[in-house]
């Protein structure tokens, strides 16, 4: 998560702001609060997920169970509350600095999503998958949202000439376009990985009477759904690679998109050949690699916009 936030900030948003000659006042403090809030709330989500999933993990991943072994349930609850409080305090401080009450509701909403996901929704058909994918999207998009609010706060329209206002509007549009693009990519890849994990964890989920996609619809139907969603992801990548927002002649982006699509095809092959848990774990690992490669396109973006 820290890598994603830093890449979005320093390889996508900062180059856009530099291209138009803008800066954000109090940037170090704003970025620090943003990073702390995302990491601590995200970490609290992992803790509460382990807290509620102890019995399922005893079946699915007995060698990775922490709560009840290295950490007591009481300690896990304290860790969750502490991390959540720190994250929301940082979020509230960020909202006060940017004078944006919406941020408070976003942080409160994400905190609620993580709790309800771990306690019940992850055991229901598709709802839990979509919720965790939405949190991943917000992790990316929130970086752009915070920068846009900081930019607008630093450069109020009433004090700017028409040309500068136009540059502000272009900067805002660029930031939103790229963070939405990266966020959509993260959403789709996370959704795919959550679906594969449901197949991987079918034994423990069945024992605990969960209603995940492979349990309700069966493994073959789940593979069809995942294949269709993968095809949609590949089509979206190809579309954005050819939808030139800045770069008119950009063969690098086209080649990069082809590499990602080839990895997606490899994932589909692994998925349909998989018959056991280790094989599904390998397919899930491929999705992780694709996600890292996709987010690292931000480095390519910085090179292209700077040179």
């Amino acid at each position: 998560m820290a890598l994603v936030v830093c890449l979005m900030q320093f390889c996508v948003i900062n180059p856009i702001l530099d291209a138009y000659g803008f800066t954000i006042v109090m940037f170090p403090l704003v970025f620090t609060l943003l990073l702390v809030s995302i990491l601590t709330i995200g970490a609290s989500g992992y803790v509460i997920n382990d807290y509620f999933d102890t019995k399922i993990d005893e079946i699915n991943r007995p060698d990775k169970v922490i709560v009840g072994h290295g950490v007591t349930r009481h300690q896990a609850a304290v860790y969750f509350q502490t991390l959540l409080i720190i994250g929301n305090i940082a979020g509230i401080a960020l909202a006060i600095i940017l004078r944006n009450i919406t941020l408070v509701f976003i942080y409160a909403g994400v905190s609620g999503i993580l709790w309800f996901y771990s306690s019940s929704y992850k055991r229901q058909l598709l709802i839990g998958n979509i919720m965790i994918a939405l949190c991943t999207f917000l992790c990316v998009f929130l970086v752009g949202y915070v920068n846009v609010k900081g930019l607008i706060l630093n450069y109020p329209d009433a004090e700017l000439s028409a040309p500068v206002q136009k540059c502000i509007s272009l900067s805002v549009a660029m930031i939103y376009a790229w963070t939405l693009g990266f966020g959509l990519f993260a959403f789709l890849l996370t959704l795919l990985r959550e679906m594969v994990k449901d197949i991987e964890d079918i034994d423990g989920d069945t024992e605990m009477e969960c209603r995940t996609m492979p349990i309700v619809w069966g493994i073959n139907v789940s593979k069809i759904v995942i294949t269709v969603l993968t095809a949609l992801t590949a089509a979206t990548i190809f579309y954005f690679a050819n939808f030139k927002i800045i770069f008119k002649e950009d063969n690098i982006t086209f080649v990069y998109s082809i590499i990602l699509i080839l990895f997606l095809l490899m994932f589909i092959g692994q998925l349909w050949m998989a018959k056991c848990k280790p094989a599904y774990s390998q397919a899930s690992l491929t999705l992780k690699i694709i996600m890292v490669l996709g987010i690292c396109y931000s480095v390519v973006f910085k090179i292209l916009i700077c040179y």
Side-chain angles (χ1 to χ4, degrees):
M1 281 198 272
L3 176 65
V4 168
V5 172
C6 289
L7 286 174
M8 289 300 100
Q9 182 66 58
F10 297 106
C11 292
V12 176
I13 296 172
N14 281 4
I16 292 174
L17 293 175
D18 291 343
Y20 287 97
F22 296 120
T23 57
I24 294 179
V25 177
M26 298 179 68
F27 168 74
L29 178 60
V30 169
F31 181 74
T32 300
L33 289 172
L34 175 65
L35 186 61
V36 168
S37 63
I38 289 176
L39 291 184
T40 50
I41 291 178
S44 74
Y46 279 101
V47 174
I48 198 63
N49 188 61
D50 282 354
Y51 180 89
F52 281 112
D53 274 6
T54 304
K55 292 182 179 179
I56 294 178
D57 290 341
E58 290 281 5
I59 300 171
N60 292 330
R61 299 176 178 83
D63 58 325
K64 295 184 178 179
V65 177
I66 298 175
V67 179
H69 293 260
V71 176
T72 66
R73 293 184 66 81
H74 175 71
Q75 286 175 324
V78 171
Y79 293 155
F80 165 71
Q81 293 167 0
T82 303
L83 288 166
L84 197 66
I85 290 171
I86 292 172
N88 278 279
I89 289 175
I92 292 170
L94 189 61
I96 292 172
I97 292 172
L98 298 178
R99 303 175 193 174
N100 186 267
I101 192 65
T102 304
L103 280 171
V104 176
F105 292 108
I106 290 175
Y107 282 110
V110 170
S111 300
I113 286 174
L114 292 174
W115 171 270
F116 287 111
Y117 165 79
S118 298
S119 62
S120 61
Y121 287 134
K122 73 172 296 180
R123 297 168 178 80
Q124 299 181 24
L125 179 64
L126 291 178
I127 296 176
N129 303 138
I130 294 172
M131 289 175 75
I132 205 68
L134 178 61
C135 288
T136 307
F137 167 82
L138 286 173
C139 178
V140 177
F141 179 71
L142 198 58
V143 185
Y145 181 81
V146 164
N147 276 271
V148 165
K149 296 307 172 183
L151 182 64
I152 293 173
L153 182 65
N154 292 162
Y155 298 93
D157 285 349
E159 301 176 8
L160 303 176
S161 62
V164 176
Q165 288 182 24
K166 183 178 180 180
C167 288
I168 291 283
S169 298
L170 289 172
S171 299
V172 169
M174 290 279 294
I175 291 171
Y176 275 146
W178 283 97
T179 51
L180 277 170
F182 280 106
L184 177 60
F185 175 81
F187 175 89
L188 291 170
L189 265 294
T190 302
L191 186 57
L192 284 169
R193 184 166 175 271
E194 288 297 309
M195 290 177 173
V196 173
K197 281 176 62 182
D198 283 344
I199 300 178
E200 185 182 348
D201 295 343
I202 191 170
D203 292 337
D205 291 346
T206 301
E207 185 72 19
M208 299 305 298
E209 300 182 347
C210 299
R211 291 182 53 80
T212 57
M213 185 170 64
I215 294 174
V216 176
W217 292 347
I219 290 178
N220 286 335
V221 173
S222 298
K223 287 184 177 182
I224 292 172
V225 173
I226 293 170
T227 301
V228 172
L229 184 59
T230 304
L232 175 63
T233 303
T236 303
I237 292 171
F238 189 77
Y239 172 77
F240 276 105
N242 289 276
F243 184 62
K244 302 296 188 290
I245 301 178
I246 303 178
F247 316 115
K248 302 303 181 183
E249 297 294 334
D250 178 17
N251 294 326
I252 297 177
T253 299
F254 179 78
V255 172
Y256 207 99
S257 69
I258 296 300
I259 292 172
L260 291 176
I261 291 170
L262 288 175
F263 268 97
L264 286 171
L265 290 174
M266 184 176 75
F267 158 70
I268 291 297
Q270 291 176 324
L271 177 69
W272 282 97
M273 291 174 63
K275 302 296 180 185
C276 59
K277 188 170 182 175
Y280 288 115
S281 297
Q282 186 62 46
S284 181
L285 176 61
T286 300
L287 287 176
K288 286 183 181 180
I289 294 171
I290 295 170
M291 184 178 292
V292 172
L293 285 174
I295 295 297
C296 284
Y297 172 75
S298 57
V299 178
V300 176
F301 174 90
K302 181 177 181 179
I303 293 171
L304 291 172
I305 198 171
C306 290
Y307 299 102

